Amino acid sequence: MVKGCKKKSMSSILRRTAAVTLAAVTAFSSAACGNKESSGDAAQAKEWAYVPEFITIDEENVNYYDMQVVGENIYYLSYDWDEATGVSSQSICKYSLADRKITSVPITWLEEGGNQSINRGSFGEDGSMYAVMYSYNEDYSEAKQSLTKFDGSGKQLFSNDMSDLVGDSYVDTLAVDGEGRLYVTGDSQIWLFDAEGNRQGTVTMNGGGDIWIDSLACGRDGRMYMGYSNYDGNTSSYTLCEIDFDGKKLGQVYEGVPRNNGFIAGTEYDFLLTDGTALYGYDLAKKEKEHLFDWLDSDINGNNVRKFSQLEDGRILAVIEDWENNDSGIALLTKKKAEEVPQKETIVVATMGGSYSLQSRAVKFNKASDKYHISVRDYVDYNNWTENTWSDALTNLNNDITSSNNCPDMIDLANLNIPQLVAKDVLEDLSPYLEKSGRVNRGDFVENILEAYTYDGRLVSVPSYFSMRTVIGSASMVGSEGGWTLEQLIALANEHPDAELFDRVSKLSILQTAMMFNEDAFINWETGECSFDTDGFKNILEFVNRFPDEVNWEQGADSEPARIQNGEVLLSDAFIYDFNQLQMYNEIFQGDYNCVGFPTVDGSGGHALSASEAYAITTKSEKKDGAWEFLESILAEEDNNLYYSGFPTLKSKLEKMAEEAVTPDYVTDENGEIMKDENGEAIINEGVSSVGYEDGWSYTYRLATQEEVDKVMELMDLAKPVSYNGDDEISKIINEEAEAFFKGQKSVDEVAGIIQNRVNNYVGETK
């Protein structure tokens, strides 16, 4: 278990008080376009659109994290730092939706001069605020938590220590019901207080699994409601219930409420709730939810909605904290007839669970385009997960791709079998678009990445980022050249019967390793012919059967690096996502390492390529130009705030990353001047990151060498995307049927024949 991955130094941020200015930008949604809400829905125009007005509060100390809407006002806490005195202060701020002005009152403490801060505030209509206060001693080594209240002028009214009550628990939520009573949650408990902050009791969550409180909100009936999740080790359930303040217990439970990211009281519904994609109205009596709108149709990434509320006039207010696009602010959504809203052409992008960053990209594009609107269709419903969720999602996606009226315009290729899609002739060749582009050209990108996504002369995608996965071993064992066959892997295992090939692996994980680059050796996607009943595949099954059914993670505490150095493990399944990582493997194998790769049929280097933001345009799309415009906007972006762990495919960014990897980072003083040692030499800031394990093995990273950077670049020239990932339908068939052989229920010939028959049928049906 890694206990100390990459320690990063933190720099303090000093803020100055600035004049308050407001800027409002009104944008119109394309929600009225005839977009399908999900797979299989009939195409129909939406009757209503929720048109956003985006409001940016250009006050330097604005804090969107704990904003709350009370009536026609938005309240939040601001933090200020006095650079001259080195003292921080907090204020209660009110932004009026009526006159679009900010007023603020500084907080005055009952005891001045202490190290105090507050969060988890809950505001009243008069501007008063309940909050959790943290008080620290002089060196910040000790802290206590207190429940406190401030009046509308910012004066602290009381502070009641609750450290003994909450212990080491972190307070998650503070809410007030219609009678002014307080509910504080943390560590699966609800602590109850009256309006004066006096303790009234505790409600402890009991259940047969791990329980955590998702959200807490006062309903329109003035009662307090709570949503919580329970995970029993296999499945996760969601429950909405009342909290019985007087009885100090959970009250009525409401079955069938869908899992959500948060809920509030509505004006027409008992609750409004969001799942990060859409906003719904929910009726407790009818046990029904009604889809109101998709956040993306209002140019909002629903995952970035920090808080939301409904005003008395029916408008929806959303507080958005958008770090990716550096575009935090307020959105006021007004319901209008769809025909009253300017129309855009909708471009549907299909994805298998990758909607988070995709929505951020779509929001940025939608706001800039006056012609096109990106709509994301995510086939994976993580809020209602079952063991069949993934396979059902794949089936639905494949059905839509081959349908005549529900095919998406673009596909996120992550987690998909690209050769299978190519064989179906559903992916457009992007080469002509790249040649005609005025923003990017082929020479701007890493050539091998383009080659890796070229099938039969057709460039099906241009990814933005990528990482690699390879097998690393001692050069004295695996040789100094790249690439080997499955027979050579088996021979290595035979030569070292007392050692494990990889650290703590099961049959299924070894099967994935063996098939990583070899699935296509048994399938001809062009002809549909399969050959899983051959000796080659049977040998794989017999080899895999040597390994344990399951891994006992409790047995032994030694880390993989320690076990490799002790001779207990021969190889490492390595993920490469920056230029510094090879130096750690050089340390593990004591200078004798080689990236040999996964075994392949022809013995070539099997280095797996995993891409981020690899989008394709479908051949059936009637809006290919708009789809390319969206893809082009992603590829041409030199700088963005989206975080990806990996290498950029844009050569200019990759070259900059490589240069920074070998360029010394010098230690600087508080004025930014480079510090020097006693010999007058500039001090290099080495060892800024490290990795450590519980058994004591650790490594502190140094500056990468040019040789290491070049080696990573060589791997990039060889890496290829793989189709076998353990999640697709063919992987599922192989894993399911192989189980009978592993358990001794069927012979290898029987199992190979069954796999041959099932995969052959599947390939024939999906071609």
Side-chain angles (χ1 to χ4, degrees):
M1 180 71 70
V2 178
K3 70 175 183 179
C5 286
K6 295 199 174 181
K7 303 169 187 175
K8 296 183 179 179
S9 60
M10 300 295 292
S11 59
S12 60
I13 300 175
L14 304 181
R15 289 180 166 177
R16 297 173 181 267
T17 304
V20 178
T21 59
L22 298 176
V25 179
T26 303
F28 291 97
S29 163
S30 60
C33 298
N35 176 36
K36 282 77 69 176
E37 292 178 13
S38 62
S39 173
D41 292 342
Q44 58 179 3
K46 294 182 179 179
E47 182 180 2
W48 298 98
Y50 284 76
V51 180
E53 175 194 1
F54 292 104
I55 304 169
T56 301
I57 303 177
D58 289 331
E59 193 261 328
E60 186 176 0
N61 297 320
V62 64
N63 176 20
Y64 294 100
Y65 184 79
D66 264 339
M67 274 189 174
Q68 293 176 33
V69 183
V70 183
E72 292 289 316
N73 299 310
I74 301 173
Y75 288 93
Y76 62 93
L77 282 170
S78 70
Y79 300 80
D80 190 29
W81 173 263
D82 190 319
E83 192 171 330
T85 62
V87 175
S88 63
S89 61
Q90 292 178 273
S91 299
I92 297 175
C93 299
K94 179 180 74 173
Y95 174 72
S96 171
L97 293 172
D99 59 20
R100 306 295 173 92
K101 293 182 179 179
I102 292 178
T103 56
S104 64
V105 294
I107 286 176
T108 57
W109 305 94
L110 289 172
E111 297 181 11
E112 294 291 343
N115 297 322
Q116 302 153 131
S117 65
I118 54 177
N119 67 3
R120 301 303 183 218
S122 179
F123 297 91
E125 293 186 3
D126 59 354
S128 62
M129 178 184 67
Y130 289 102
V132 175
M133 180 177 75
Y134 292 84
S135 303
Y136 304 89
N137 58 1
E138 289 187 3
D139 62 359
Y140 287 87
S141 61
E142 297 179 4
K144 70 176 183 179
Q145 298 184 61
S146 304
L147 183 62
T148 185
K149 184 179 182 180
F150 300 84
D151 64 17
S153 67
K155 178 182 178 182
Q156 188 178 20
L157 302 179
F158 63 76
S159 175
N160 297 340
D161 188 357
M162 58 179 187
S163 298
D164 293 340
L165 177 63
V166 302
D168 295 330
S169 300
Y170 181 76
V171 172
D172 295 314
T173 310
L174 186 155
V176 182
D177 68 14
E179 297 183 35
R181 302 175 299 189
L182 280 70
Y183 303 72
V184 179
T185 72
D187 196 22
S188 301
Q189 295 190 85
I190 306 104
W191 298 290
L192 308 175
F193 301 88
D194 63 19
E196 284 70 45
N198 301 309
R199 182 187 175 190
Q200 299 298 305
T202 301
V203 179
T204 300
M205 308 290 292
N206 296 313
D210 294 328
I211 296 177
W212 63 92
I213 299 170
D214 295 305
S215 49
L216 199 68
C218 181
R220 60 178 180 173
D221 56 7
R223 301 173 184 174
M224 188 61 65
Y225 292 82
M226 176 182 65
Y228 67 92
S229 297
N230 186 351
Y231 180 68
D232 63 7
N234 295 307
T235 59
S236 176
S237 61
Y238 177 83
T239 303
L240 180 75
C241 68
E242 293 181 27
I243 300 177
D244 183 353
F245 189 98
D246 296 325
K248 315 298 186 289
K249 62 182 180 180
L250 299 183
Q252 182 176 350
V253 174
Y254 296 90
E255 303 288 348
V257 179
R259 188 186 301 275
N260 57 81
N261 296 350
F263 62 90
I264 61 161
T267 58
E268 300 177 22
Y269 302 89
D270 291 310
F271 292 109
L272 298 181
L273 54 89
T274 179
D275 60 4
T277 300
L279 188 72
Y280 305 89
Y282 194 83
D283 187 299
L284 289 175
K286 296 180 180 178
K287 298 182 180 180
E288 294 177 352
K289 73 172 183 178
E290 180 181 347
H291 177 275
L292 300 180
F293 63 89
D294 291 336
W295 288 108
L296 195 55
D297 283 343
S298 296
D299 293 339
I300 296 170
N301 182 346
N303 296 296
N304 293 331
V305 174
R306 175 64 62 183
K307 294 285 180 66
F308 63 101
S309 182
Q310 187 167 31
L311 307 182
E312 291 184 2
D313 60 10
R315 287 181 297 170
I316 304 296
L317 184 145
V319 178
I320 304 164
E321 199 167 31
D322 187 349
W323 296 105
E324 290 88 352
N325 293 322
N326 193 25
D327 191 24
S328 299
I330 310 297
L332 274 174
L333 308 179
T334 302
K335 184 178 180 181
K336 292 187 176 182
K337 281 287 187 179
E339 59 264 24
E340 299 176 7
V341 180
Q343 303 286 306
K344 293 183 184 180
E345 293 184 55
T346 298
I347 297 170
V348 178
V349 185
T351 184
M352 288 286 292
S355 63
Y356 184 84
S357 61
L358 181 54
Q359 285 195 55
S360 292
R361 291 293 200 187
V363 166
K364 186 172 184 179
F365 178 83
N366 290 345
K367 287 184 176 181
S369 177
D370 58 1
K371 184 176 181 180
Y372 299 108
H373 173 85
I374 301 300
S375 177
V376 176
R377 186 190 296 169
D378 197 336
Y379 286 78
V380 180
D381 184 2
Y382 286 110
N383 290 318
N384 297 286
W385 185 267
T386 69
E387 63 179 356
N388 295 320
T389 293
W390 189 265
S391 58
D392 290 345
L394 275 174
T395 299
N396 291 334
L397 174 58
N398 282 322
N399 289 340
D400 283 355
I401 289 173
T402 56
S403 71
S404 58
N405 61 357
N406 209 32
C407 182
D409 300 289
M410 300 179 69
I411 304 175
D412 177 0
L413 296 179
N415 302 311
L416 296 180
N417 189 315
I418 302 175
Q420 180 180 353
L421 295 175
V422 170
K424 293 179 180 180
D425 195 27
V426 297
L427 304 183
E428 182 81 0
D429 183 7
L430 300 183
S431 296
Y433 298 91
L434 197 57
E435 292 172 3
K436 295 178 182 177
S437 174
R439 303 182 66 183
V440 291
N441 60 69
R442 189 179 184 95
D444 293 334
F445 300 95
V446 178
E447 181 60 30
N448 182 60
I449 305 303
L450 299 185
E451 289 295 331
Y453 281 83
T454 299
Y455 295 81
D456 298 326
R458 298 165 64 89
L459 177 63
V460 299
S461 182
V462 183
S464 295
Y465 290 85
F466 66 96
S467 59
M468 295 175 292
R469 182 180 172 190
T470 189
V471 172
I472 298 180
S474 169
S476 59
M477 287 187 182
V478 301
S480 58
E481 300 297 324
W484 57 344
T485 64
L486 185 63
E487 288 74 17
Q488 290 174 304
L489 176 70
I490 295 174
L492 179 65
N494 292 336
E495 292 169 7
H496 302 272
D498 296 328
E500 297 178 29
L501 270 179
F502 297 92
D503 183 37
R504 297 177 176 89
V505 292
S506 65
K507 284 183 172 65
L508 288 182
S509 57
I510 282 292
L511 181 58
Q512 180 179 2
T513 299
M515 294 297 294
M516 180 73 71
F517 277 88
N518 295 314
E519 180 185 279
D520 290 342
F522 301 101
I523 303 174
N524 186 323
W525 287 102
E526 292 296 325
T527 65
E529 296 178 358
C530 301
S531 55
F532 287 95
D533 54 356
T534 59
D535 289 341
F537 183 70
K538 294 174 187 177
N539 290 339
I540 292 177
L541 293 179
E542 290 174 335
F543 171 65
V544 170
N545 200 30
R546 299 181 181 186
F547 296 87
D549 295 328
E550 296 181 357
V551 175
N552 183 1
W553 292 101
E554 302 300 324
Q555 181 180 0
D558 286 348
S559 62
E560 180 193 73
R563 299 189 74 207
I564 290 175
Q565 292 181 340
N566 292 336
E568 300 174 48
V569 174
L570 304 179
L571 307 169
S572 178
D573 185 350
F575 290 85
I576 309 297
Y577 51 84
D578 64 35
F579 288 109
N580 289 327
Q581 286 174 284
L582 288 185
Q583 61 180 270
M584 185 184 72
Y585 291 100
N586 184 65
E587 175 68 20
I588 292 173
F589 290 96
Q590 299 295 291
D592 181 41
Y593 79 96
N594 179 36
C595 300
V596 66
F598 291 90
T600 60
V601 171
D602 60 2
S604 60
H607 310 293
L609 181 69
S610 177
S612 300
E613 291 197 300
Y615 303 116
I617 299 175
T618 60
T619 53
K620 291 184 180 180
S621 173
E622 297 179 355
K623 303 158 190 172
K624 294 185 178 71
D625 289 340
W628 170 254
E629 190 173 314
F630 174 54
L631 180 55
E632 186 182 46
S633 71
I634 297 174
L635 298 175
E637 192 169 51
E638 280 279 357
D639 298 302
N640 64 70
N641 294 319
L642 291 176
Y643 175 77
Y644 290 100
S645 177
F647 304 98
T649 58
L650 204 60
K651 285 196 293 189
S652 59
K653 296 171 70 172
L654 181 64
E655 290 166 359
K656 180 180 179 182
M657 181 179 178
E659 181 181 355
E660 290 176 348
V662 297
T663 302
D665 177 28
Y666 295 103
V667 178
T668 59
D669 59 21
E670 58 184 9
N671 297 318
E673 299 293 329
I674 296 176
M675 299 180 66
K676 298 181 179 181
D677 59 20
E678 62 274 11
N679 299 319
E681 299 291 333
I683 302 174
I684 298 177
N685 188 12
E686 292 192 275
V688 295
S689 61
S690 63
V691 59
Y693 296 84
E694 291 180 356
D695 64 349
W697 195 96
S698 64
Y699 180 76
T700 299
Y701 290 91
R702 53 168 168 73
L703 200 65
T705 66
Q706 188 60 50
E707 182 181 2
E708 289 164 345
V709 170
D710 292 342
K711 181 62 179 177
V712 174
M713 291 290 196
E714 289 176 14
L715 294 179
M716 293 179 190
D717 290 337
L718 300 170
K720 301 290 183 184
V722 294
S723 58
Y724 190 97
N725 57 27
D727 289 324
D728 66 341
E729 189 63 29
I730 294 175
S731 306
K732 183 179 178 181
I733 291 172
I734 294 173
N735 294 342
E736 285 178 354
E737 299 301 338
E739 194 74 15
F741 170 62
F742 297 153
K743 291 182 177 180
Q745 298 168 347
K746 295 178 182 178
S747 69
V748 67
D749 291 329
E750 290 176 304
V751 167
I754 295 172
I755 292 175
Q756 165 73 5
N757 185 57
R758 287 190 62 186
V759 176
N760 196 65
N761 290 337
Y762 175 77
V763 172
E765 293 170 356
T766 57
K767 261 186 63 62

